[in-house]
Amino acid sequence: MLLFSICFPLPATVSSPYSSSSSYDGEATSAVVLAKHDAIVKEKGAQRAFSSTPFCDPVTGECGEIPHEPSPRTVFSAKTAKAHQHWWVVHAALNQSAAEYVERRKKKSGPKPPLILYGDSITESWLGTDMGGHSKRADGVHDVFQELFVKGTPWDPLVLAIGGDQTQHLLYRIQNGQ
């Protein structure tokens, strides 16, 4: 479960204790995961690939996505082709939101310190949404967010969360526009 984090600039290459090399190339790892994703979709067809591909192989234990390796949603973590495509739409919308936030902060004199909240559906509920759409479960939460975080603190908050995201998805989003 992801709750929130304050955003600090990240280096292009991140050291990983899980890698045999001294530096970790997130783009190369994402490319490997995406190649596996594409091969499975090509072999099974989109609908069957999403509905029949387990996150981890029950025989070998090998997982399609690894939590410490950046990865977008794939056949391993999205339950349907539609959910997979929708994740990309929400990801793009959050990239736009982040870009607008940066521009607004550049123009505003005397800005509050930034507070970037990354996470999954728990964090996204501060917007009153889940996967970018209205969430009945989060009704009224956005009003509380406005009172507590926007009006009631010295921070300038931005929520960059997608319901259902896992650590590898968040790492991918940080490295790809957010």
Side-chain angles (χ1 to χ4, degrees):
M1 175 187 332
L2 303 168
L3 292 178
F4 69 89
S5 170
I6 297 176
C7 178
F8 295 99
L10 295 176
T13 304
V14 180
S15 175
S16 170
Y18 305 100
S19 173
S20 58
S21 63
S22 60
S23 66
Y24 169 72
D25 183 350
E27 286 185 26
T29 302
S30 292
V32 169
V33 171
L34 289 173
K36 288 181 190 177
H37 163 89
D38 290 344
I40 291 169
V41 170
K42 184 177 180 181
E43 175 190 330
K44 296 181 176 182
Q47 292 307 320
R48 201 167 132 246
F50 284 95
S51 64
S52 68
T53 305
F55 190 79
C56 296
D57 185 296
V59 176
T60 67
E62 181 182 342
C63 296
E65 297 174 15
I66 309 298
H68 63 271
E69 297 177 357
S71 169
R73 296 253 182 113
T74 66
V75 294
F76 304 107
S77 56
K79 295 184 187 333
T80 66
K82 183 177 177 180
H84 176 255
Q85 288 300 323
H86 187 65
W87 184 87
W88 286 102
V89 170
V90 176
H91 170 58
L94 291 178
N95 284 351
Q96 181 63 37
S97 183
E100 290 168 1
Y101 177 84
V102 168
E103 287 305 310
R104 181 180 53 78
R105 288 189 53 80
K106 285 179 184 176
K107 294 176 184 173
K108 191 175 178 182
S109 61
K112 297 176 176 182
L115 174 65
I116 311 301
L117 298 133
Y118 288 104
D120 56 14
S121 61
I122 295 168
T123 308
E124 187 183 358
S125 68
W126 286 115
L127 298 174
T129 63
D130 187 24
M131 284 290 288
H134 176 262
S135 172
K136 186 173 174 111
R137 156 184 86 75
D139 280 348
V141 176
H142 184 67
D143 296 333
V144 173
F145 176 77
Q146 291 294 314
E147 283 296 317
L148 293 177
F149 286 98
V150 177
K151 298 175 186 170
T153 69
W155 299 97
D156 183 13
L158 173 65
V159 177
L160 297 174
I162 300 177
D165 260 6
Q166 299 167 2
T167 304
Q168 65 274 20
H169 308 136
L170 176 59
L171 292 172
Y172 180 85
R173 291 192 296 115
I174 290 170
Q175 288 185 352
N176 292 274
Q178 291 172 27

